[in-house]
Amino acid sequence: MREALNASQQDLTARFLRMLSISLEQVALIRSAILHGHYIGLSERTHALEQELDTLEREVEETCLNAIARYQPLASDLKFYLMVFKSLTDLERAGDYGRHIGRDLEDIAGVFSSGPLQDVLPQTNLLATMIERLAYAFTEGDVAAAREVMRLDYEEVDALYEQMQRASLTRILENPRDLQAALKANRMARSLERLGDHLVNVAERVEAYLLSRPGAMTERASD
């Protein structure tokens, strides 16, 4: 029974990390499009990744429920399954926002000069770092890495979102003819900010799970 439970958790870990990898791929596509000025097909590519993520969400959900029903795991194992299960919606929504950003960026690329589009780069860089740190926290059991995800969002991503909102408003005031494109740019900024929020939700669950494990008192004492 223990071997079967371990195998189930290893399978979930691999699939969970693949879900994080998909979000990272979406962010990388967005960043590459901006850096190279190649936006055609960006919506389609980010959408394809989002569909893969949706499939994984259903598979991981089924695996979690089947494992809980079949193995009736003890409290320590059950916490792992619940942490993964409760994070699925956030990862799925992160994929949705990745698709929205790709779509809006492709739509407005022909309207704005490269300057406004470059505004997105700092947030994409931060989001990529957050995803990488979250994956590290999950695989290595690193509480500090999970907290770094939260700090980056609260201290940097949110500030950049406010900055992008102000820039969109300025463009509307300066050139009302670009209203629709400016509104899409504002929506894109919001999507970037919300993607970060969903990563934070997962990081909070990872942190709580890690601190609930036996031997975590040392980590609490070092806070």
Side-chain angles (χ1 to χ4, degrees):
M1 181 70 77
R2 184 69 251 176
E3 290 183 1
L5 198 60
N6 288 341
S8 170
Q9 291 183 11
Q10 290 172 3
D11 176 63
L12 278 178
T13 296
R15 292 172 186 263
F16 191 85
L17 288 173
R18 176 55 188 154
M19 293 179 77
L20 285 173
S21 175
I22 289 172
S23 286
L24 186 58
E25 286 180 49
Q26 286 182 317
V27 171
L29 281 173
I30 292 163
R31 185 174 186 276
S32 177
I34 297 169
L35 288 173
H36 299 101
H38 298 155
Y39 301 99
I40 297 175
L42 181 60
S43 177
E44 182 180 352
R45 293 195 297 273
T46 53
H47 187 202
L49 286 169
E50 186 259 342
Q51 289 180 313
E52 182 183 347
L53 198 150
D54 286 349
T55 299
L56 275 169
E57 180 199 16
R58 292 190 292 270
E59 292 174 355
V60 172
E61 179 179 321
E62 183 178 355
T63 300
C64 283
L65 294 176
N66 287 341
I68 292 171
R70 182 176 180 181
Y71 303 122
Q72 298 182 353
L74 299 176
S76 58
D77 293 310
L78 182 60
K79 288 175 182 176
F80 171 82
Y81 285 105
L82 291 177
M83 180 266 292
V84 171
F85 184 79
K86 291 179 179 179
S87 297
L88 292 177
T89 299
D90 283 299
L91 292 180
E92 187 272 335
R93 290 299 294 146
D96 287 346
Y97 283 116
R99 173 171 59 87
H100 295 163
I101 296 162
R103 176 199 62 200
D104 288 339
L105 190 57
E106 185 173 355
D107 285 347
I108 66 176
V111 178
F112 287 143
S113 63
S114 62
L117 301 179
Q118 294 286 327
D119 293 346
V120 177
L121 278 177
Q123 263 187 310
T124 59
N125 291 336
L126 282 170
L127 290 171
T129 299
M130 288 169 66
I131 295 168
E132 291 168 351
R133 297 304 291 162
L134 181 53
Y136 183 83
F138 180 75
T139 54
E140 299 298 326
D142 193 307
V143 173
R147 291 172 178 167
E148 179 71 1
V149 174
M150 304 175 210
R151 186 195 68 77
L152 287 171
D153 185 70
Y154 300 147
E155 295 182 6
E156 300 189 43
V157 172
D158 288 350
L160 286 171
Y161 167 60
E162 296 295 334
Q163 180 180 318
M164 289 180 68
Q165 275 197 318
R166 290 193 296 271
S168 293
L169 179 59
T170 299
R171 292 186 191 102
I172 293 173
L173 294 175
E174 290 178 348
N175 192 350
R177 290 176 297 179
D178 288 342
L179 174 61
Q180 291 303 315
L183 290 175
K184 286 185 178 180
N186 187 67
R187 184 173 66 188
M188 184 170 60
R190 178 61 175 168
S191 293
L192 288 161
E193 189 268 341
R194 289 298 296 145
L195 199 163
D197 287 346
H198 286 292
L199 295 176
V200 166
N201 290 344
V202 178
E204 289 174 345
R205 293 192 189 94
V206 170
E207 178 198 36
Y209 165 69
L210 294 176
L211 292 178
S212 74
R213 297 187 306 178
M217 291 303 296
T218 302
E219 292 171 291
R220 290 194 184 97
S222 66
D223 292 350

